Amino acid sequence: MNSDKSRIEKIIDQINAVNAKKIALLLVIGFACYHGILHVRYGTNSCKWLLSDGRYKGDQEWQPYGCMLHRYTKIDTRKCLRYLAFYGTKTHFIFVGDKRIQDLYMTFVNHLKQEEEVMLIPLQDVTKNLTHIDNKLKLKVEFFGISFVSKLMVDKFRQWQVSKEAPSVIIGGCALEPIKISNASLGMVEEYKVNLTRLVQPISKLHKRKTKILWALQEPVNPDKLKLDVQMINNEVIDLYNKAAIEILHYTEAELWRSLKLVGEGMISESPDGIYLAPRPLQYDIQILLNMYCNDYMNFNDGTCCSSMEQYTMLQVVTFAILCICVTVAVVMILHRLVMQWKGRPIHEYNQLPENEFQTQTAAPGSYYNLFGSLAKMALIMSYFFVCDRTNFFMKENKYYSEFSFWLPIGYVTVLGLFFTEDSKYTKVLHRDQLNEWKGWMQLVILVYHITGASRILPINMHIKVLISAYLFLLGYEQFCCVWQRGDIGIVSFFRVLFQLNFMTVTLCLCMNRPYQFYYFVPLLSFWYLMTYCFMAFPPHITAQNSENNVMQYFYLLIKFIVLFTVITILFMSEVFFEKVFVTRPWKALFVTTDDDIREWWFRWKLDRYSIMYGMSFAVILLLAQRYNIYDDNNHSNLFSRGLALTGTLAAIMGIGCYIIITFLCSSELECSEIHSYIVFIPIVGYIVLRNISGILRTRYSSLFAWFGEISLELFISQYHIWLAADTHGVLVLIPGYPVLNVMITSFIFVCASHEVHRLTKVLLPYAVPADWKCVLRNFILFLAILVPIGINDGMF
């Protein structure tokens, strides 16, 4: 029959959000099993990953396998050692081996020395023992030049095992001299094995005394650079020595430092003589040592190698216990329904019809099955968030920036968005489809910016700040237009907006043990929404209806703008007054970070302090121009005549171009940020003009970008934990070793989770904020009753 769908059409019908989420769930379960098997087989100790494997990324930065490497500066290193010294720990590093180990010692000591101290230079006499002592740090670093695994080396290990204070770390390794003296004889390899066997017992005794022993595998040589007297040292023989070390020491307490070999192998072309490493790979080796030794004490966000899992709090335990109860209740309800269905008595549900075209059809409030089912799904999603970013179950890697890695996905997303261009049913300036499209493409650009770590590039950094300002601009514009046209400033609509903005964030604060200010975007939106609401609600109430025949209403509106501008400016001009306002209890906890610092909020607030006013002012200008027929957007034609349209287009292009030029001329982020708040409206208004002045552009939109725009808030918040990692400092890794495929898979799961949270927020909205204002106040009082004990525990009161 003609009415039957073809096979292709049936397949297309199956491509929807519901099925995508099912696939995402299966992927999560599959990767959980995969990583569980990895942990059972190889253990959960990320120190083994750090010391065993890794790769060079496109920027020639070393990336350990499955964990994040913190880049220790001299200040960071001394801070770590000072911390250990304060608690009475003496740090004693011992380097024992040949010239390669001596180079490691030299690089390590030079990294420890302060700028005014004389740097060590490499010595040719390998047999000379060296010592570096820093009494302030309770630090001692020694080098023992022993080029053979011989009785001398064994005796040294025996001395350390019976010494009064056992060394903290011993780094050993040698092979070049035996190869050279024996002319690459295989007999020397056997002797090397025998002598390594004699080290097993002292290594075991030292391990019991909490000494960490690293045996460095030998890096390959570059045959093209070798001199005649060392050409017998070849990579085949070096591999035999490495194989011997692996066979003898694999089952001992010594750690085989395999990644040192990989670091050297990846940069062997930079070796000055074909044998010894260049400064850069030596620096990477020292970074590996410092991450191994310091990470668990310093807890740097971007250093997860050798770092223990963050301890959970009682609040997290209580939160997940409540969520578990919701899951249990939901499971019982599902089983009850299945039993009733089996008995032939299915339960019928009644859905609440949407109040307008923008609402979705949901189960009527009062359906406990719908309520607990939604909370159970939220509990499962929060569990995934917790496992991804508060445990070491899934792997994490450092971000990687390059021009190619940033601009390629931007270009790809742009082309893909244009491919899904459709006609809109709206013709108005900044209609709903266009607003969602704008939010969508901005959010995708911000995501690429975050995952690539492009914040170090000043022009890109400043353009992302424009996008954040544009969100606030649109918030002011939309809220003003909504109240102006509908006159709704009721308590119900107020709490509905606040709930939709904050539901996910508050849940994450409770589950992930992070302050509200950590998710800075939501506090910004919530605060400025509150300011907009107060602006519109404060008498006199000015709407389209009461201002139509009363010009004085515009004068009152102007007074409101002046008052708002004055309040913002006074707060900006006195940072002391600003702090006194925002660090007042009990709302102090909403604006400070974990270390009780308000500087982050101060920086974010002042950067976009006028953006909400720009949005409301633009709304006023647009509404008045529409009222007095200055332009016509009721059809598909251009807004103005050809001459005005061309002038407006050129002015918009020049405005955007001027802002771009300014970002390139700024010498620092601080300098750019100082002028940002005064000129940010120029590129925003410029974009609006370019997007709307032509009828063809105004009435078409990208459905793909608009779809992402619908869930832009959830995407912004979810990325912190299930796409990025370590509180946005790294990248979540589900498929180690395949970065492109990994980003594709994690992005798919991340988008599906964000969409589901967006849907659940809408489902739970009528339960949290009913249509009756009395019930809303009741729920708000209950929320405060829950918040007060938490606040008392956290010092809010």
Side-chain angles (χ1 to χ4, degrees):
M1 294 177 63
N2 293 332
S3 60
D4 291 340
K5 293 184 178 181
S6 67
R7 185 177 179 183
I8 298 298
E9 290 174 326
K10 290 179 180 178
I11 293 175
I12 292 174
D13 287 342
Q14 296 302 312
I15 303 175
N16 52 52
V18 175
N19 289 332
K21 292 171 192 174
K22 292 177 181 177
I23 295 172
L25 178 60
L26 292 175
L27 286 173
V28 169
I29 295 171
F31 283 115
C33 295
Y34 170 67
H35 282 264
I37 293 170
L38 287 181
H39 291 318
V40 170
R41 186 171 180 182
Y42 301 109
T44 59
N45 186 359
S46 57
C47 274
K48 290 186 177 179
W49 303 345
L50 173 68
L51 297 171
S52 64
D53 201 359
R55 71 182 192 278
Y56 279 106
K57 296 187 289 188
D59 55 357
Q60 289 300 296
E61 290 288 322
W62 179 252
Q63 173 61 62
Y65 176 83
C67 64
M68 294 168 60
L69 192 75
H70 176 71
R71 308 299 174 191
Y72 276 86
T73 61
K74 293 188 176 186
I75 294 174
D76 288 343
T77 306
R78 296 186 70 84
K79 189 186 297 182
C80 165
L81 297 174
R82 193 178 296 115
Y83 172 86
L84 292 170
F86 178 79
Y87 285 100
T89 301
K90 295 182 179 179
T91 300
H92 186 188
F93 273 79
I94 293 177
F95 294 80
V96 55
D98 55 15
K99 180 69 167 57
R100 282 179 166 179
I101 300 297
Q102 185 194 64
D103 287 346
L104 271 179
Y105 167 83
M106 296 286 187
T107 308
F108 187 70
V109 172
N110 285 335
H111 181 83
L112 295 172
K113 286 178 174 289
Q114 299 188 51
E115 298 299 335
E116 64 272 10
E117 296 183 271
V118 178
M119 298 292 108
L120 297 180
I121 58 174
L123 301 176
Q124 295 302 318
D125 185 4
V126 182
T127 61
K128 185 176 180 181
N129 298 335
L130 304 169
T131 303
H132 171 76
I133 296 176
D134 191 325
N135 292 321
K136 291 182 180 178
L137 302 177
K138 295 183 181 179
L139 169 70
K140 185 178 182 181
V141 186
E142 294 182 285
F143 169 72
F144 295 92
I146 305 175
S147 300
F148 295 84
V149 181
S150 58
K151 184 177 182 301
L152 179 59
M153 182 178 286
V154 174
D155 289 343
K156 280 291 181 186
F157 271 81
R158 294 191 188 280
Q159 288 176 23
W160 297 326
Q161 86 178 50
V162 298
S163 61
K164 185 178 180 181
E165 292 182 353
S168 306
V169 181
I170 299 174
I171 301 100
C174 58
L176 297 185
E177 201 64 25
I179 296 174
K180 181 179 177 182
I181 290 181
S182 68
N183 198 24
S185 168
L186 296 180
M188 185 61 78
V189 178
E190 296 303 318
E191 186 176 340
Y192 181 79
K193 289 183 180 180
V194 173
N195 289 332
L196 270 180
T197 306
R198 293 173 183 168
L199 287 176
V200 172
Q201 186 181 14
I203 285 173
S204 178
K205 296 286 181 64
L206 283 164
H207 177 75
K208 290 178 181 178
R209 299 188 65 189
K210 308 300 183 185
T211 298
K212 195 169 188 69
I213 301 101
L214 305 182
W215 189 263
L217 296 187
Q218 296 297 307
E219 306 96 332
V221 297
N222 186 348
D224 299 333
K225 292 186 177 182
L226 293 179
K227 296 180 181 178
L228 290 175
D229 59 335
V230 292
Q231 286 191 348
M232 74 290 295
I233 302 176
N234 59 74
N235 292 329
E236 289 76 12
V237 179
I238 287 176
D239 288 341
L240 291 177
Y241 277 82
N242 284 336
K243 185 179 179 182
I246 294 170
E247 288 176 0
I248 303 300
L249 300 177
H250 180 69
Y251 298 101
T252 68
E253 286 78 6
E255 295 276 359
L256 289 165
W257 193 357
R258 301 169 189 263
S259 58
L260 178 136
K261 172 180 176 292
L262 297 175
V263 169
E265 186 177 24
M267 285 198 172
I268 193 62
S269 60
E270 295 187 10
S271 171
D273 55 6
I275 294 180
Y276 302 110
L277 296 182
R280 191 172 181 184
L282 284 170
Q283 287 290 344
Y284 289 147
D285 292 337
I286 299 308
Q287 291 294 332
I288 292 173
L289 279 179
L290 291 171
N291 275 261
M292 177 200 72
Y293 190 68
C294 286
N295 276 3
D296 209 22
Y297 301 107
M298 301 308 295
N299 293 322
F300 288 110
N301 287 323
D302 61 344
T304 61
C305 298
C306 298
S307 182
S308 301
M309 187 179 76
E310 180 180 309
Q311 295 297 313
Y312 50 80
T313 65
M314 183 55 65
L315 180 59
Q316 287 175 287
V317 173
V318 172
T319 302
F320 277 104
I322 294 172
L323 291 176
C324 284
I325 292 172
C326 294
V327 173
T328 304
V329 173
V331 170
V332 170
M333 286 182 167
I334 291 171
L335 293 176
H336 171 68
R337 289 189 166 222
L338 290 175
V339 171
M340 296 297 289
Q341 188 176 3
W342 178 68
K343 291 182 177 181
R345 291 182 291 174
I347 299 174
H348 298 284
E349 273 191 353
Y350 297 94
N351 289 334
Q352 179 175 293
L353 293 175
E355 296 178 6
N356 54 56
E357 60 182 310
F358 307 120
Q359 287 188 357
T360 56
Q361 184 171 303
T362 59
S367 168
Y368 291 108
Y369 175 78
N370 197 46
L371 172 62
F372 282 101
S374 299
L375 290 174
K377 291 177 182 177
M378 197 69 186
L380 294 176
I381 294 173
M382 288 300 107
S383 299
Y384 177 63
F385 274 68
F386 184 86
V387 170
C388 285
D389 209 26
R390 288 295 169 268
T391 70
N392 293 326
F393 187 78
F394 292 127
M395 299 175 182
K396 304 169 179 66
E397 288 187 356
N398 298 90
K399 294 179 181 179
Y400 158 58
Y401 173 79
S402 70
E403 296 290 335
F404 181 78
S405 67
F406 178 79
W407 291 110
L408 179 65
I410 293 292
Y412 177 76
V413 165
T414 302
V415 171
L416 195 62
L418 294 175
F419 181 77
F420 285 91
T421 300
E422 297 178 6
D423 286 321
S424 174
K425 60 182 179 181
Y426 306 107
T427 62
K428 296 290 185 181
V429 173
L430 290 180
H431 55 74
R432 179 166 296 275
D433 289 336
Q434 190 182 129
L435 288 174
N436 285 333
E437 176 203 75
W438 190 358
K439 294 176 183 177
W441 72 255
M442 286 196 303
Q443 184 56 57
L444 291 174
V445 171
I446 291 171
L447 291 176
V448 175
Y449 167 81
H450 281 158
I451 200 171
T452 56
S455 57
R456 70 187 76 170
I457 311 300
L458 184 57
I460 296 177
N461 184 312
M462 294 312 302
H463 282 83
I464 296 301
K465 284 182 170 61
V466 172
L467 301 188
I468 300 297
S469 299
Y471 271 103
L472 295 172
F473 180 96
L474 293 179
L475 177 67
Y477 171 82
E478 288 183 286
Q479 294 305 319
F480 185 91
C481 289
C482 182
V483 175
W484 177 268
Q485 293 168 356
R486 300 181 188 178
D488 184 7
I489 53 172
I491 193 172
V492 175
S493 59
F494 171 72
F495 277 105
R496 278 182 176 173
V497 174
L498 279 185
F499 179 83
Q500 292 182 84
L501 285 176
N502 289 276
F503 170 66
M504 183 182 185
T505 302
V506 172
T507 306
L508 283 174
C509 289
L510 297 174
C511 292
M512 307 299 287
N513 188 31
R514 286 295 175 267
Y516 183 62
Q517 193 57 223
F518 175 76
Y519 307 94
Y520 74 90
F521 186 57
V522 172
L524 269 179
L525 291 177
S526 300
F527 174 80
W528 288 115
Y529 168 71
L530 181 62
M531 293 298 100
T532 306
Y533 179 83
C534 293
F535 177 90
M536 300 301 296
F538 193 81
H541 302 156
I542 304 169
T543 63
Q545 291 75 20
N546 61 28
S547 64
E548 188 169 0
N549 299 315
N550 188 354
V551 182
M552 283 300 295
Q553 296 290 330
Y554 297 113
F555 175 73
Y556 297 144
L557 187 63
L558 178 62
I559 296 297
K560 283 189 174 186
F561 272 110
I562 293 173
V563 171
L564 180 60
F565 176 80
T566 303
V567 170
I568 293 173
T569 304
I570 290 173
L571 284 172
F572 169 69
M573 293 179 67
S574 175
E575 189 173 350
V576 175
F577 178 61
F578 178 90
E579 290 187 5
K580 285 184 178 180
V581 170
F582 287 102
V583 299
T584 302
R585 299 177 189 275
W587 55 75
K588 170 186 174 182
L590 300 176
F591 302 107
V592 296
T593 57
T594 310
D595 358 341
D596 214 29
D597 190 359
I598 202 172
R599 284 178 296 179
E600 180 72 15
W601 172 247
W602 163 248
F603 172 74
R604 300 287 182 186
W605 181 90
K606 72 175 183 177
L607 194 65
D608 292 309
R609 61 187 182 275
Y610 298 125
S611 296
I612 204 83
M613 282 192 59
Y614 294 147
M616 290 192 292
S617 302
F618 183 80
V620 172
I621 294 171
L622 201 64
L623 291 168
L624 289 179
Q626 187 180 34
R627 171 173 289 185
Y628 293 105
N629 298 319
I630 295 176
Y631 70 90
D632 182 14
D633 59 357
N634 294 313
N635 50 55
H636 290 71
S637 62
N638 296 343
L639 291 180
F640 305 108
S641 63
R642 187 174 181 180
L644 282 176
L646 182 60
T647 303
T649 301
L650 291 175
I653 294 173
M654 288 178 61
I656 295 173
C658 287
Y659 185 86
I660 294 173
I661 292 171
I662 290 173
T663 61
F664 280 96
L665 294 178
C666 286
S667 59
S668 66
E669 182 180 355
L670 180 62
E671 182 184 335
C672 276
S673 299
E674 287 299 319
I675 61 173
H676 170 83
S677 58
Y678 300 108
I679 62 173
V680 68
F681 72 91
I682 297 174
I684 295 175
V685 174
Y687 172 78
I688 295 174
V689 171
L690 293 177
R691 186 71 180 80
N692 289 274
I693 202 166
S694 166
I696 297 175
L697 292 178
R698 188 176 69 254
T699 56
R700 291 184 66 80
Y701 77 107
S702 168
S703 59
L704 178 69
F705 288 155
W707 187 87
F708 280 104
E710 288 278 358
I711 60 172
S712 59
L713 180 66
E714 288 76 16
L715 287 171
F716 198 104
I717 306 304
S718 295
Q719 66 170 320
Y720 281 65
H721 303 296
I722 60 170
W723 196 51
L724 305 176
D727 293 339
T728 75
H729 291 87
V731 178
L732 180 68
V733 176
L734 298 179
I735 309 178
Y738 298 90
V740 176
L741 180 61
N742 177 73
V743 169
M744 293 172 63
I745 296 296
T746 55
S747 300
F748 175 73
I749 297 172
F750 153 64
V751 171
C752 289
S754 300
H755 188 275
E756 182 63 11
V757 171
H758 177 77
R759 189 190 70 82
L760 292 174
T761 303
K762 285 188 173 181
V763 172
L764 294 172
L765 177 61
Y767 294 94
V769 189
D772 187 353
W773 68 269
K774 296 178 182 177
C775 295
V776 172
L777 286 179
R778 177 204 64 194
N779 290 356
F780 180 63
I781 293 170
L782 288 174
F783 174 73
L784 290 180
I786 296 171
L787 191 64
V788 166
I790 298 173
I792 293 173
N793 183 64
D794 290 345
M796 287 173 61
F797 300 98

